[in-house]
């Protein structure tokens, strides 16, 4: 492609330099993109600003915007195969999963369309005779959206349609590893009738593209998904300019199985929870907390199932675990496996890169005898590595679950409703799954406590991030009362 998408068309970058993406599974070049600069970001923000300040998008009716968002969803579905193929080539994720994600993406656009018609303010009728108070929701303005490589189209679709629904305009910076489907999305939106300048995409590296976007004074909101470390930098830049900022960051999510759980039902979701998307997932259930009395029996069952997980070429429909995104991520996984062995955890499965001619594949890996103080039990590995910890009581399970800087999600398996609610009330995380894991619905908010982020995506509250409140106070009838 080699160009940014700015003001409704593909444009060359200021530097005219390029970079390429490489398939993590095949080590072949996928595509060529424009190497963005601060100048390109400035042009994109300028276009988005103009589209917001004087363009039709924020002035359209909710119905008009909703119809366009619905059309975008339909066009995404119609191009599912092409989008899924590109997603798999750039990210290394299994093709069947990529197809599922494209379908989930359609649902996100269609749900956001309902918010274009339903987002509203409040009216106060009890402030005094002849007085009415109105609280209006207005679009916040130009939003900057920075996204990662693990779920490229899905994550931009957790942000962009919600911002568009309420009338904002956007500048998007996709990960330099996976920009393909985001650029494609911009052209799909254009075909659906999104006016020029409403969506702009600048490709390139975190520094300078993401950095100059998060520092840009003409943005009104910045929304970021990625590492906690970069999230802090984005928040600091937003703080300097006093811009609203929302962050969806990492997790070290506990998946907790009590002795009274339906163990037959729990095994598959535990294995899915950690190896889904190669473990490169902020919601990964990478800490398995097992009640001591069932720990060995359940570990055996998890080991047996994990050993059967098909790892390999993500273009093959049978494969469930594809390739690790890049060398840096592979090194990080290897270092954590070494750290697990050195810190005294017991390696029960995997632990090695799978030797192949091309690409980077890693064995599903399991450590037991992990303790909450070990790096493998505390830090986000972002790879197919499970750390098993045991507990003796509900109180201990809660303490271990909360013994982390993160707070994104948790899973609880129990047949006791009291235990389910005690865990739900006491675990400090944005989502608690009871007797299920990593289910998602556009209606339900998503986000984290502590180092897992700021703010919430999805659900009807998601538009809070992209709207300003305006208070209007009105007197009716003859004006009464005077100061002097
Ligand atoms: P990053 O946080 O570096 O990348 C996320 C996005 O931020 C990318 O678009 C990136 O651009 C951009 N970015 C990088 N530096 C800056 C900056 N200074 N200012 C603004 N934007 C910037 O994640 P990584 O890809 O490096 O992954 C590292 C680790 O982060 C993973 O191992 C994992 O632990 C965690 N992570 C968490 C994710 C989540 O879903 N919560 C998603 C991805 C990673 P570019 O890609 O061009 O560098």
């Amino acid at each position: 492609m080699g160009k940014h998408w700015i003001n409704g068309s593909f444009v060359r970058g200021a530097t005219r330099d390029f970079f390429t993406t490489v398939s993590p599974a095949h080590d072949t070049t996928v595509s060529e993109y424009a190497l963005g600069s601060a100048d390109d970001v400035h042009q994109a923000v300028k276009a988005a600003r103009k589209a917001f300040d004087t363009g039709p998008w924020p002035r359209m009716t909710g119905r008009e915007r909703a119809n366009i968002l619905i059309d975008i969803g339909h066009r995404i579905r119609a191009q599912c195969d092409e989008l899924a193929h590109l997603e798999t080539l750039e990210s290394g994720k299994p093709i069947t999963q990529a197809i599922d994600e494209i379908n989930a993406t359609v649902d996100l656009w269609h749900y956001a369309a309902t918010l274009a018609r339903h987002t509203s303010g409040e009216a106060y009728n009890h402030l005094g005779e002849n007085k009415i108070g109105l609280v209006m929701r207005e679009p916040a303005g130009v939003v900057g959206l920075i996204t990662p490589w693990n779920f490229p189209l899905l994550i931009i679709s957790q942000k962009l349609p919600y911002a568009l629904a309420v009338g904002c305009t956007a500048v998007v910076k996709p990960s330099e590893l996976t920009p393909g489907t985001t650029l494609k999305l911009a052209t799909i939106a254009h075909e659906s009738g999104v006016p020029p300048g409403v969506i702009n995409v600048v490709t390139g590296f975190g520094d300078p593209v993401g950095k100059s976007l998060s520092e840009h004074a003409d943005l009104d909101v910045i929304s970021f998904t990625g590492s906690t470390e970069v999230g802090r930098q984005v928040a600091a830049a937003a703080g300097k300019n006093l811009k609203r900022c929302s962050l969806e960051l990492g997790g070290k999510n506990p998946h907790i199985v009590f002795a009274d759980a339906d163990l037959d039902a729990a095994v598959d979701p535990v294995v899915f929870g950690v190896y889904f998307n190669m473990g490169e997932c902020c919601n990964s259930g990478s800490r398995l907390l097992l009640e001591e009395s069932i720990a060995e029996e359940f570990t055996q069952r998890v080991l047996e199932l994990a050993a059967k997980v098909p790892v390999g070429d993500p273009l093959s429909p049978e494969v469930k675990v594809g390739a690790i995104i890049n060398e840096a991520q592979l090194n990080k996984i290897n270092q954590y496996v070494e750290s697990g062995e050195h810190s005294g955890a017991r390696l029960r499965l995997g632990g090695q890169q799978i030797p192949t001619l091309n690409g980077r594949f890693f064995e599903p890996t399991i450590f037991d005898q992990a303790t909450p103080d070990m790096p493998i039990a505390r830090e986000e590995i972002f790879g197919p590595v499970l750390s098993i910890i045991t507990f003796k009581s509900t109180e201990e399970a809660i303490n271990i679950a909360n013994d982390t800087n993160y707070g994104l999600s948790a899973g609880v398996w129990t047949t006791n409703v009291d235990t389910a609610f005690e865990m739900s009330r006491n675990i400090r995380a944005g989502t608690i799954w009871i007797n299920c894991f990593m289910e998602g619905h556009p209606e339900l908010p998503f986000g984290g406590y502590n180092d897992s982020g700021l703010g919430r995506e999805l659900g009807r509250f998601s538009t809070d991030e992209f709207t300003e409140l305006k208070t209007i106070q009105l007197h009716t009838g003859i004006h009464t009362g005077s100061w002097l």
Side-chain angles (χ1 to χ4, degrees), residues 45-313:
V45 173
K46 218 164 103 182
R49 187 83 257 166
K50 186 161 172 247
F52 184 78
D53 290 343
T54 60
W57 188 254
R59 291 155 194 88
M60 281 182 184
T61 63
R63 181 172 62 88
E64 287 168 324
R65 282 200 296 266
N67 286 341
I68 291 176
L69 300 187
I70 289 167
D71 191 66
I72 294 172
H74 288 315
R75 284 173 195 264
I76 292 171
R77 198 190 305 283
Q79 297 181 48
C80 177
D81 289 348
E82 189 191 332
L83 288 164
H85 190 75
L86 181 53
E87 202 78 314
T88 288
L89 286 183
E90 290 197 333
S91 72
K93 69 175 68 222
I95 187 75
T96 48
Q97 182 194 317
I99 291 168
D100 289 348
E101 284 173 27
I102 306 298
N103 287 322
T105 294
V106 173
D107 205 23
L108 291 169
W109 283 86
H110 285 173
Y111 175 73
T114 67
L115 299 178
R117 303 186 77 159
H118 278 285
T119 302
S120 66
E122 294 177 326
Y124 287 82
N125 198 28
H126 61 264
L127 304 175
E129 218 176 326
N130 300 343
K131 292 182 182 181
I132 295 173
L134 296 175
V135 183
M136 309 245 280
R137 271 194 188 276
E138 296 187 339
V142 179
V143 305
L145 308 175
I146 302 176
T147 55
W149 43 262
N150 51 346
F151 298 94
L153 189 67
L154 193 76
I155 289 179
I156 187 58
S157 300
Q158 292 187 179
K159 300 177 188 291
L160 184 58
Y162 298 83
L164 296 181
V166 292
C168 292
T169 63
V171 177
V172 184
K173 188 273 182 235
S175 166
E176 108 253 355
L177 301 169
T178 56
T181 52
T182 303
L183 274 175
K184 190 83 189 91
L185 177 64
T187 64
I188 289 174
H190 182 70
E191 286 156 18
S192 292
V194 171
V198 172
I199 300 173
N200 305 275
V201 180
V202 180
T203 54
F205 287 72
D207 187 2
V209 178
K211 188 167 179 290
S212 45
L213 184 59
S214 55
E215 288 171 353
H216 207 290
D218 258 356
L219 283 189
D220 298 289
V221 179
I222 183 100
S223 172
F224 169 87
T225 298
S227 62
T228 299
E229 187 193 343
V230 175
R232 280 189 215 285
Q233 294 171 28
V234 169
K240 253 190 187 162
N241 284 325
L242 294 178
K243 302 302 175 198
R244 195 181 302 165
C245 172
S246 66
L247 306 170
E248 202 276 283
L249 309 174
K252 188 73 186 178
N253 312 294
H255 204 161
I256 305 161
V257 182
F258 283 88
D260 65 10
D262 179 345
L263 301 184
D264 292 339
V267 181
D268 183 83
V270 163
V271 172
F272 156 75
V274 65
Y275 301 124
F276 172 67
N277 209 53
M278 295 70 73
E280 295 168 343
C281 177
C282 52
N283 266 326
S284 171
S286 53
R287 286 192 287 160
L288 179 60
L289 275 53
L290 297 180
E291 190 160 2
E292 209 172 68
S293 59
I294 50 121
E296 187 48 36
E297 178 205 338
F298 194 76
T299 299
Q300 279 301 338
R301 297 174 73 166
V302 172
L303 284 166
E304 277 164 31
L305 195 61
K308 293 184 193 153
V309 172
V311 185
D313 187 339

Side-chain angles (χ1 to χ4, degrees), residues 9-33:
S9 60
F10 281 114
V11 298
R12 286 203 186 287
T15 65
R16 300 194 164 236
D17 286 335
F18 302 98
F19 68 98
T20 52
T21 52
V22 174
S23 166
H26 313 96
D27 265 344
T28 49
T29 300
V30 180
S31 197
E32 193 173 63
Y33 299 97

